[in-house]
Structure formats: C-alpha cells, structure tokens
Amino acid sequence: MPNRPVAVSSKLLRSLLFKLPGDKLRDPSSSQANATTGKRKPSIEYRADIDGLRAIAVLLVLIFHGGLALFPSGFIGVDIFFVISGYLTTAIIMKSLNNGTFTFSGFYTRRIWRLQPAVIALLVVTLIVSTLLYLPDDYVDFLKSEKYTSLIISNQYFSKVTTGYATPDTASLPLLHTWSLAIEWQWYLALPLGLWLLNRYLAKSVFKAAVLGLTLAAMALALYLSYTNPEKNYYFFTARIFELMIGSCAVIFGTGKFRLNRLSASLVCALALVTIIYCATLDDILPGFPQYHAIAVCLATAALLFQGIGDASITSKLLAFKPLVFIGTLSYSLYLWHWPILAVMSYMGIALTPPMIIFYFVSTFVLAWLCYVVVENRFRKARLGFAKTLVVLMIVPAIGLSLLHAASVRHEGWPDRFNQGYNEVFNGLKASVPANREGCLGVSDGADPGCISGAVQAAPQILLMGDSFSNHYWGFVETLARDANLAVLTQGYPACLALPGIYLYDESKYTNGLYQKCHNATQRYYEMIAKQHFKYVIVGQFWEAYLDDDIVTRRDDPRSPELSQQRLGTAIRKALDKIVESGATPVLLENTLPMPAGINTCLLQQVKLRGLMGSAEQSSLCATAPWSGAKEPVLEKLFNDLKAEYPGLIVIDPKIVQCKDDACMTTVDGLPVYRDIGHVTDYASYKFGEMYLKRFGNPLKVAQ
C-alpha cells in the first residue's frame, strides 16, 4: 500500500467519526442462525468452528470455577476469548477499511449494542440480589465494583482490592469476572485508531512488520510484568494486550490465498488443541500468569483461527459440532452469569458439594439462555445513533451507579435493610472502631499524632509495632495502657516481620524477591526505639506465618523452613537486645486463634436470609470453635527459651481469655470476634483487653 499524505482534512475526520456504516460491519460473533438468515450480510464469512472454539473456552472457565479437578488451569479459557476477540474485531475493521466504509462512530455503536445490554442486565440483577443479601460493608464494596464495571476499569479496581486472582478474598465478589470485559473495552479504545493510523500511513509490508513488532513488544512486556508484578499482572491490560494482538496477527498475516492441505492443517490444529488442553490440565501455572503458558495457548488459538489452516483442518469439522456451536452461541451470556451464581453461593456459605455443582451448571445455562433470548440477541442490532447510544447505554449507567455508590458510603450501606438484631450488631461493631487505627498500618515514622492512644500524655511510653496483627490489637493494648496510665504509639506494616537484620523473600509476592519496604520500616522502628526510650516495646505478629522458608538475610541465602526458624530465633534475640539496651521492657504479643473457616458466614446467615433458612439454634453452634489447646511447637519452644534468657521479657497470649478448655469464643456479647479471615474486630480486641485485666491483672504495671 503506497504512503499517503499526512494531512487529514476536517471533512475526512467528520466522515470517519460520524458516518454510520452499512450492514457490512455486522459483528460476526452472532449466532450461526443469524449469520445464515439472509437478512444481514456479514462483514466476514461466518465460521461455525469459531463458535465451537468459544464453547471450549467458556467450558474451561466454567469447569475451573466450579472447582472440578479436571482442568485446574481452566482460566486459560479467557485467553482464548481474548485471541478470538482480537481476530474478529481486527477482521471487521480491516475489511471495512479496505472497503472505505469504516467509521469510529459506527464501530463503537455496534460494539456497545453488542455488549452493553447484557452487562446492564447483569448489573441490575446482581444489584437486586446484593441488596437483599449483602451486609452493609460488603454492599458498599459491591456498589463500588458496579461503579468501576460501568466505567470499564474494573480490572484496575480488582487489582487493587484483591490479593490476587483465585484467592479466598475474591470468592464472593459477584462482578470479579468483569475484569476481562474491562480489558476488552480498553482494547476497543486502542485498536480502531491504531489500525486506522497504521493502515493509512504505512506501506503494506511495513504495516505488517509494525504489527508484528508491536505484538512481540507486548509479549515481552507481559513476561516482564509476570516477573515484577506476579500477583497483580493477571488483571493488567498491559499484560493482556499481546493476546488480543496475536488474534490481530492471525488476520493481518492471512492472505486469503495461503492454504495448507487437509493433512498438514489437521496436524497443526490437532497440536494446537493438545496444547490448549495440556495447559488447562496443569496445576501450577497461575503464579505470574499470563506468562509463557499464556503465549503457548494464544499461539495455539491463533493457529485454529488462521485462514488456510484452522478452516482447512479436520478439527474445524469437530469444532463445528452442533452442540458445541450452541454452547459457543451462548458463551458471552454463560460467562456473564456463571460467576455471580458462584459468588452468591460463596457469600451464603453454600459449599460446592456434588448436588450444588449440578445446580451451578444447570442454573448457569438456564440464566445464560434467558439472557441470550431476552436481552443479548434481541438488542444486538443498533437502535440509536452513536451519541444517543453512548448516553443511554454507557454514560447514564455509569453516572447512576457512581451516585448510588456515593449514597451507600454516606448511609453506611443502609443497615436498615436488615432486622433490628443486625442493626444492634452493626452499631456495636461500628462504635468500637478507633478513628485512626487503619491509618496507622503501613507507616513507620511515628509522626502522626492520630497513632497515639491510651492515657493522655505528652509523649507515648509504649511502642506497639509489627504486622497487621499488631494493628488489630489496638483495642487490647490501649485497654492495658489506659489502666496503667500510659500512652501507646501504634505502628505497623502489612505482612511484615518487624525484626532487625532480616528480609522476607517471596518471588510470587515481592518485586525482585525481597520485601524491601518491610525491611526499611523495621529499620526505622529500631531507630525510633533507640532515640525515644520507651518504657515498653510490644512486638505483635502473626508468628505462625513466618515459619516457612521466607526469612533470609540477603537475596542469595539458601532457604528452607529450618533455616528460616533459625534466622527467626537470631533476629528476635537481636530485637530483644536492642529493646533492652534502650531501657525498655520487651513484650511479645502472641496471636488469637486463627479464624475458623466459615464462622462469620455461619453467624450471619440468619441475618442475610431474614431467618428464612436454618434456625437460631444452628447459628448458636457457631458461637464457639473447637481448640485442642496445643500451640505451634517451634514457637512454644522459642518463647519458653526467650523467657529463660531474658528475665524481664513479658509474653502475652490473648488466647488464654478467648479460649477455655477445648473451645474458643467466636462471639463476644453476641458480636463476631472476627472481622475478616485474619483479624479480630475492634470490639473483640477491647473486650479481650478487659477480660485479660480482670483475670490476670495488668502486665504493664509490673515494671513501674
């Protein structure tokens, strides 16, 4: 293609933006029936095998999320979808560019009508269900996810509020799966302009080289992000764009004349299918994904799509099997509805037993079929011009959901949706939350006066430091401090072992392996200890979490649980030496009983269901959890040794007030002990402090 002049007239720009395209731009992702009715002429030739490939993709996702062991990496179905999307949208745009019928407004009008009606239906239904079932804080979070879904940036939102993909904190988020739709839309914002510019100003040979170069660069970026941001890059557009671009390459490098013979094409496509199935059966490829396994899946998908290979093989006949094509026709709706079903089940504490797995699959297909018939297929054709379409289907929902989220924050999730009993629980928990506690987690400079609690004093006499578990003991320590007429400075860093001279090492979590921010914060803690001369220094940790092989003194240290435990002992002794040298009394704060699985769901199920299931007697069974009384043997020996070596050392174990005989409390005064899977509520923290004082006296008075 010869180079064209760079100057673009205003008339040309107006025609590109506002000329409505003809039927030649119809999305070929519609069903085979629509493609063959003769009522509309498709922009590219319909291939039933692509719908069959969609079916494989969505079935992999459904099986994976359904907890079946058959495909432990079935999440690669999303990667297949991305390649298909890149292939089809690029084919549509390139054909219309070559025909001179392309307009941006036409492309976006059709894309919006293709995708948004079903998404709006999803947002409405999940809003109704969450309004009925989700507790106030969870409801506010849900509405926030609805807002970001409507703004097509939910991938960025979920990358910030979750610890990773397929982690426990994601199980009850009904819109988690919309991260992939956000990436699709971000792709639609980049693709048309990119193709239009490259096609207009580059010769054909240079155009292809540029597309290939950009794809390889995007692939390299994804591999880099897999190494530097392994927990978050799953959601990143920058880590996913190469998958869509591989689909684009399958179009741009297709000539229409190239065609393998049936045997060669069948061998290539058989290898491609084997590659996809093999990767889906692996159980260790999620850390850092997408990485080279994703590249293999995407290249295999591109081979199945490539004109002259995918359509020339025997596998194209297999993929065109009518039941597969039917499932592929429903694939968009299947993807939209499967995850909210699972999320609500998880939120209600419904385990995926065999009968519930059957219920999950049946209800997913029923809802998907209804959505396809009532919404997706009915509203597929554009009914308004670009401007009105944008306002009605994109802007109005985004504004409405943003306002609804803002209102939910002001009204604290509308707790009055539930009965008076829950309001008492909600108000009791809310009243005990210290205004500044959360703001004192992730800091280490001691400069914020809001991090000082306890008795009113000119300067704090106690330093409470450690990981987030030290922070959740704010109420416990403040209760002891007030009784001793002392002030407490609380500082903490998440997942950080606040001991000198060590690093935490985890390739899957920390950039370059080392948790440098934790190390730096710990250094500042001990500088503060040396300068301020506290009376007490309290180190609170979830000690059990640091007994694996993550503790090192430098990056190239050998690692094993035994070596980590040795380094833990050395580091804690170094910490105690520094504390004693400063003139302070060291205090080690042990952990409460880790939250038993499903306890809060059990306690609050009656509230969520308005008493429609189960009984109060069943809920009362959740008020305690069994406890053997045994402690972690490595820590028990270490703490006993330390008490013998450091006569002034104080060790406080809150379990001695939480637990008695063979059971531990999971409620205090009818209120939950746990606020999440790791931490106790502020109400429980204060109450445990009061109970400790009453039963054992105040250990912070012994050195005064």
Side-chain angles (χ1 to χ4, degrees), residues 270-309:
L271 178 61
L273 282 175
V274 168
T275 299
I276 290 171
I277 300 302
Y278 170 73
C279 289
T281 59
L282 298 175
D283 60 3
D284 58 351
I285 67 173
L286 184 56
F289 198 88
Q291 19 73 331
Y292 60 90
H293 287 99
I295 294 173
V297 169
C298 292
L299 292 175
T301 303
L304 292 167
L305 295 171
F306 200 90
Q307 190 176 3
I309 299 178

Side-chain angles (χ1 to χ4, degrees), residues 435-443 448 451 471:
N436 300 307
R437 176 181 57 74
E438 289 189 12
C440 300
L441 182 62
V443 297
D448 185 355
C451 295
N471 183 267

Side-chain angles (χ1 to χ4, degrees), residues 347-364:
Y347 191 71
M348 299 309 299
I350 301 173
L352 280 175
T353 58
M356 295 313 300
I357 291 174
I358 294 172
F359 169 80
Y360 152 65
F361 277 104
V362 171
S363 58
T364 295

Side-chain angles (χ1 to χ4, degrees), residues 316-537:
S316 68
K317 301 295 184 183
L318 297 176
L319 291 173
F321 183 49
K322 287 186 177 180
L324 277 181
V325 172
F326 173 74
I327 294 172
T329 300
L330 299 180
S331 60
Y332 180 49
S333 289
L334 285 168
Y335 183 79
L336 285 182
W337 293 101
H338 85 284
W339 179 254
I341 293 171
L342 289 172
V344 172
M345 289 171 62
S346 173
Y347 191 71
M348 299 309 299
I350 301 173
L352 280 175
T353 58
M356 295 313 300
I357 291 174
I358 294 172
F359 169 80
Y360 152 65
F361 277 104
V362 171
S363 58
T364 295
F365 273 87
V366 169
L367 278 177
W369 181 80
L370 287 173
C371 180
Y372 177 79
V373 172
V374 176
V375 179
E376 184 185 345
N377 198 42
R378 177 171 296 183
F379 293 98
R380 184 187 302 272
K381 184 179 179 181
R383 299 178 176 220
L384 299 170
F386 172 67
K388 290 182 179 179
T389 292
L390 186 65
V391 170
V392 172
L393 296 184
M394 301 293 285
I395 295 177
V396 169
I399 292 175
L401 290 172
S402 297
L403 293 174
L404 184 59
H405 170 250
S408 74
V409 173
R410 289 195 304 272
H411 295 279
E412 298 178 318
W414 292 289
D416 291 340
R417 291 177 294 124
F418 298 96
N419 56 33
Q420 183 60 35
Y422 177 74
N423 287 338
E424 293 173 0
V425 172
F426 175 77
N427 292 330
L429 293 176
K430 176 187 170 186
S432 60
V433 177
N436 300 307
R437 176 181 57 74
E438 289 189 12
C440 300
L441 182 62
V443 297
S444 55
D445 57 7
D448 185 355
C451 295
I452 300 175
S453 62
V456 178
Q457 300 286 351
Q461 297 92 356
I462 302 173
L463 173 65
L464 170 62
M465 65 178 187
D467 57 16
S468 61
F469 284 77
S470 69
N471 183 267
H472 83 170
Y473 284 131
W474 178 299
F476 185 94
V477 174
E478 183 182 15
T479 301
L480 301 185
R482 282 186 181 277
D483 182 72
N485 196 32
L486 300 172
V488 185
L489 170 64
T490 300
Q491 305 280 271
Y493 221 85
C496 178
L497 182 59
L499 300 176
I502 58 170
Y503 290 90
L504 297 180
Y505 186 100
D506 188 341
E507 284 183 317
S508 69
K509 186 179 293 186
Y510 314 124
T511 302
N512 297 324
L514 297 178
Y515 194 179
Q516 188 65 47
K517 291 181 179 179
C518 166
H519 184 79
N520 295 342
T522 298
Q523 284 186 316
R524 290 190 288 270
Y525 293 148
Y526 288 93
E527 290 170 2
M528 198 185 308
I529 290 168
K531 292 177 181 177
Q532 296 196 22
H533 302 290
F534 297 101
K535 288 186 178 181
Y536 296 94
V537 173

Side-chain angles (χ1 to χ4, degrees), residues 9-200:
S9 69
S10 59
K11 183 178 180 181
L12 174 60
L13 284 175
R14 285 196 300 272
S15 68
L16 282 167
L17 287 171
F18 300 113
K19 177 184 175 185
L20 286 175
D23 287 337
K24 291 182 180 181
L25 276 177
R26 189 183 71 82
D27 183 358
S29 59
S30 59
S31 68
Q32 182 179 17
N34 285 341
T36 58
T37 57
K39 295 181 180 179
R40 307 178 210 160
K41 184 178 179 182
S43 60
I44 58 175
E45 182 182 353
Y46 173 76
R47 284 174 52 185
D49 60 309
I50 295 180
D51 271 339
L53 189 56
R54 276 200 186 97
I56 289 177
V58 78
L59 288 174
L60 286 175
V61 173
L62 265 61
I63 291 170
F64 169 70
H65 284 151
L68 302 178
L70 184 60
F71 296 116
S73 292
F75 53 83
I76 65 169
V78 175
D79 306 83
I80 298 172
F81 277 127
F82 282 152
V83 179
I84 294 174
S85 178
Y87 176 85
L88 293 174
T89 51
T90 301
I92 294 169
I93 292 172
M94 290 304 300
K95 184 162 186 176
S96 57
L97 283 172
N98 293 333
N99 292 340
T101 59
F102 175 76
T103 65
F104 289 97
S105 60
F107 174 81
Y108 288 120
T109 299
R110 292 178 181 276
R111 283 287 89 194
I112 292 171
W113 280 99
R114 174 67 182 91
L115 299 178
Q116 282 302 104
V119 169
I120 291 172
L122 172 73
L123 295 177
V124 170
V125 172
T126 53
L127 175 61
I128 293 171
V129 173
S130 64
T131 300
L132 292 173
L133 300 179
Y134 276 52
L135 300 176
D137 288 345
D138 302 321
Y139 188 58
V140 172
D141 290 340
F142 166 76
L143 289 175
K144 193 172 185 179
S145 72
E146 282 226 325
K147 176 181 74 173
Y148 284 113
T149 297
S150 69
L151 293 171
I152 60 175
I153 52 174
S154 61
N155 61 318
Q156 298 178 28
Y157 170 71
F158 288 119
S159 74
K160 294 176 182 177
V161 301
T162 65
T163 57
Y165 181 71
T167 51
D169 59 340
T170 66
S172 58
L173 302 176
L175 298 178
L176 176 72
H177 63 320
T178 63
W179 70 269
S180 64
L181 301 181
I183 286 178
E184 286 269 356
W185 269 112
Q186 292 155 26
W187 166 249
Y188 297 150
L189 294 176
L191 175 69
L193 181 60
L195 284 179
W196 182 80
L197 290 172
L198 291 175
N199 182 69
R200 183 170 182 80

